[in-house]
Amino acid sequence: MTISEENYIKVIYHLAQVSPKGVSTNAIAGTLDTKASSVTDMLKKLADKNWVSYQKYQGVSLTESGLQKAKMIVRKHRLWEVFLVEKLGFAWDEVHEIAEELEHIQSEALISKLDDFLGFPTVDPHGDPIPNAKGEMVKEERIVLSEAPLHQAYRFIGVKDSSAGFLQYLDKQQIALGATIIIQEREDFDASLSVLINDKVLSLSQKIAENLFVKQG
Amino acid sequence: MTISEENYIKVIYHLAQVSPKGVSTNAIAGTLDTKASSVTDMLKKLADKNWVSYQKYQGVSLTESGLQKAKMIVRKHRLWEVFLVEKLGFAWDEVHEIAEELEHIQSEALISKLDDFLGFPTVDPHGDPIPNAKGEMVKEERIVLSEAPLHQAYRFIGVKDSSAGFLQYLDKQQIALGATIIIQEREDFDASLSVLINDKVLSLSQKIAENLFVKQG
DNA sequence: AAATAAATTTAGGCAAATCTAAAAATAGTT
DNA sequence: AACTATTTTTAGATTTGCCTAAATTTATTT
Ligand SMILES: [Mn+2]
Ligand SMILES: [Mn+2]
Ligand SMILES: [Mn+2]
Ligand SMILES: [Mn+2]
């Protein structure tokens, strides 16, 4: 499998979370910053190799073997992210691009030993689940803060947007994974929230709140 | 710089250690397991980018900037090898191929943090020196055991051949880096050696002895 | 100094991954 | 239902890295 094929498979996997019926050519092109015609070419190739099922004009979805491939790439990506943050001391907003390269290193033995070295982590630095060697992962029950009821204690367990900009904003506000959040008030006008985060009062715009995953307790 | 270009530059660097006047097209083709005509194509490209100086039929040598590039690739290769052995628990005969891929990961910050994490090692698991961020490395004074005088105490500090086969042979004989070696006798007939390694008697063929780097003391 | 052998380069081609421009299919809108 | 806009695919090129076969240059023998 080439690096390019792997990148396509992974993008289709991620986009399929939102569009389970079929991922569009344009959506893939947008994510990979390439042209729709290039995507069409690649989809034919991926279909030939039986990693996606594809019918002209109808979008694609991963086959069982494509799904398995995708999960292994995601597994590698997230394990490397844990390594970069936990062992090398990178900040959580610095690791994505590097992991984007590291995820393509082939060796099975390497990933298995890395997993062991890291203590078999179940989530990456952004709160995303890490598939195990079989592709299984626990999908933690989680909701976005913007839709959570008031006056309940939540724990901040993941980000929806993991762009450097957003992560740096959270750093600046000292909002870190694991923080306790209680919504005190939701403004009718702009849906912004007044929250208590680790006992400090903060105001969060709707844009921010809908990118924070929380769970009860 | 593409992965292919990096592989060529690194091979030219290694071959130049043995042929400082100029590396031949065939030597490169042999090492990279590719055809001479492909090498010629690439040499033109590398010359255009000023990483090698190349004249038809006369072989190539690295330019100053090519040499610097080569050292950085070697640096990455050897640092990753240290990581794989010291942190992940790979054996010294298992790491070369994996490092062959890892050496192409781009991030400067990654290598700098990895170097720090590993405690700024100066040699890799095979005893080869690791260039620092500026490309400087200490070249330890060393000789091959096959040419060393009798009855002196040497320390085993590196291998000339670092193929898995040779390394596994050394493992089997329990000859590890750092071992003390004293030559007791050299056979006239086949130049084989009778040696004392960590106080155990062993017989080494010339083929073995000429692939062991040692230093006095 | 020829003749032969070996090394190297050139010529022409191929596959992967991309692009632009044009054509075709689908979706949305009067 | 017909028209328009959007999405997607096709056609034709380009670049990179590689190949085979043939030509050329350099090295080695007679
Ligand atoms: Mn990637
Ligand atoms: Mn992540
Ligand atoms: Mn390599
Ligand atoms: Mn090594």
Side-chain angles (χ1 to χ4, degrees):
Chain A
M1 213 173 185
T2 68
I3 289 176
S4 198
E5 286 170 345
E6 289 193 346
N7 283 332
Y8 273 90
I9 289 288
K10 196 184 64 166
V11 163
I12 294 167
Y13 171 78
H14 285 312
L15 292 173
Q17 314 274 337
V18 192
S19 324
K21 319 151 207 169
V23 175
S24 79
T25 300
N26 265 358
I28 298 169
T31 310
L32 282 175
D33 200 30
T34 185
K35 296 295 146 93
S37 57
S38 305
V39 174
T40 301
D41 282 350
M42 182 59 92
L43 293 184
K44 288 177 189 166
K45 203 187 315 176
L46 296 177
D48 282 348
K49 298 186 177 178
N50 265 301
W51 294 321
V52 301
S53 52
Y54 165 63
Q55 282 156 240
K56 274 191 190 187
Y57 297 102
Q58 303 309 132
V60 272
S61 52
L62 294 174
T63 61
E64 193 48 51
S65 88
L67 179 63
Q68 200 56 27
K69 295 266 184 204
K71 282 179 181 167
M72 287 306 108
I73 301 163
V74 167
R75 168 171 161 79
K76 289 193 271 181
H77 185 104
R78 291 178 181 166
L79 281 174
W80 280 116
E81 284 190 343
V82 172
F83 169 71
L84 294 171
V85 168
E86 298 291 318
K87 302 293 183 179
L88 296 195
F90 277 98
W92 68 340
D93 63 302
E94 300 173 318
V95 298
H96 189 78
E97 283 180 43
I98 301 175
E100 202 59 42
E101 289 188 58
L102 285 165
E103 73 190 359
H104 302 291
I105 304 292
Q106 291 302 329
S107 168
E108 250 307 322
L110 172 60
I111 291 311
S112 153
K113 295 212 182 219
L114 181 64
D115 198 8
D116 188 4
F117 180 58
L118 298 174
F120 304 101
T122 58
V123 294
D124 84 357
H126 313 105
D128 292 313
I130 299 176
N132 69 15
K134 291 177 185 160
E136 303 155 346
M137 58 187 132
V138 280
K139 56 175 167 191
E140 186 90 75
E141 202 58 55
R142 61 191 196 178
I143 59 175
V144 288
L145 187 68
S146 55
E147 288 169 11
L150 305 190
H151 308 303
Q152 290 205 30
Y154 294 105
R155 201 131 55 82
F156 170 39
I157 60 161
V159 290
K160 188 173 208 171
D161 171 6
S162 59
S163 67
F166 183 56
L167 298 177
Q168 281 162 19
Y169 167 85
L170 296 179
D171 282 345
K172 199 168 62 186
Q173 303 296 328
Q174 297 181 50
I175 305 173
L177 243 47
T180 297
I181 305 183
I182 298 168
I183 306 176
Q184 295 183 309
E185 203 183 344
R186 174 173 280 115
E187 287 294 334
D188 279 346
F189 181 62
D190 64 355
S192 69
L193 303 179
S194 173
V195 297
L196 217 54
I197 298 191
N198 291 339
D199 301 321
K200 289 197 324 199
V201 179
L202 256 169
S203 170
L204 302 176
S205 70
Q206 183 181 29
K207 178 103 179 275
I208 300 295
E210 66 194 7
N211 280 298
L212 300 176
F213 288 125
V214 296
K215 76 168 190 183
Q216 282 197 328
Chain B
M1 213 173 185
T2 68
I3 289 176
S4 198
E5 286 169 344
E6 290 194 345
N7 283 332
Y8 273 89
I9 289 288
K10 196 184 64 165
V11 163
I12 294 167
Y13 171 79
H14 285 310
L15 292 173
Q17 314 274 336
V18 192
S19 325
K21 320 150 206 171
V23 175
S24 79
T25 301
N26 264 358
I28 298 169
T31 310
L32 282 175
D33 200 29
T34 185
K35 294 297 145 91
S37 57
S38 305
V39 174
T40 302
D41 282 350
M42 182 58 93
L43 292 184
K44 288 177 189 165
K45 204 188 313 175
L46 296 177
D48 283 349
K49 299 187 176 178
N50 264 303
W51 294 321
V52 302
S53 52
Y54 166 62
Q55 283 157 239
K56 274 192 190 185
Y57 297 100
Q58 304 309 131
V60 271
S61 53
L62 294 174
T63 61
E64 193 48 53
S65 89
L67 179 63
Q68 200 55 29
K69 295 266 184 202
K71 283 179 181 166
M72 286 307 109
I73 301 163
V74 168
R75 168 171 161 79
K76 289 194 272 180
H77 185 104
R78 292 178 180 165
L79 282 174
W80 280 117
E81 283 190 344
V82 172
F83 169 72
L84 294 171
V85 168
E86 298 291 318
K87 301 294 182 179
L88 295 196
F90 277 98
W92 68 341
D93 63 301
E94 301 173 317
V95 297
H96 189 77
E97 282 181 42
I98 302 174
E100 203 59 43
E101 289 186 59
L102 285 165
E103 72 190 359
H104 303 290
I105 304 293
Q106 291 302 330
S107 167
E108 251 306 324
L110 172 59
I111 292 309
S112 152
K113 296 215 182 215
L114 181 64
D115 198 8
D116 188 4
F117 179 60
L118 298 173
F120 304 101
T122 57
V123 294
D124 83 357
H126 313 105
D128 293 312
I130 300 176
N132 68 16
K134 291 176 185 161
E136 303 154 346
M137 56 187 134
V138 279
K139 54 174 168 192
E140 187 89 75
E141 203 57 55
R142 61 190 195 178
I143 59 175
V144 287
L145 188 66
S146 54
E147 289 168 11
L150 306 188
H151 308 304
Q152 291 205 30
Y154 294 105
R155 201 129 55 80
F156 171 38
I157 60 162
V159 290
K160 189 172 206 169
D161 172 6
S162 60
S163 68
F166 183 56
L167 299 177
Q168 281 162 19
Y169 167 84
L170 296 179
D171 282 345
K172 200 167 62 187
Q173 303 296 328
Q174 297 182 50
I175 305 172
L177 243 49
T180 296
I181 305 184
I182 300 170
I183 306 178
Q184 295 184 307
E185 202 184 344
R186 175 175 279 116
E187 289 294 335
D188 279 344
F189 181 63
D190 64 353
S192 70
L193 303 179
S194 172
V195 298
L196 216 55
I197 299 190
N198 291 339
D199 301 322
K200 289 197 326 202
V201 180
L202 255 170
S203 170
L204 301 177
S205 71
Q206 183 181 29
K207 178 103 179 275
I208 301 295
E210 67 194 6
N211 280 298
L212 300 176
F213 288 125
V214 296
K215 75 168 191 183
Q216 283 196 327

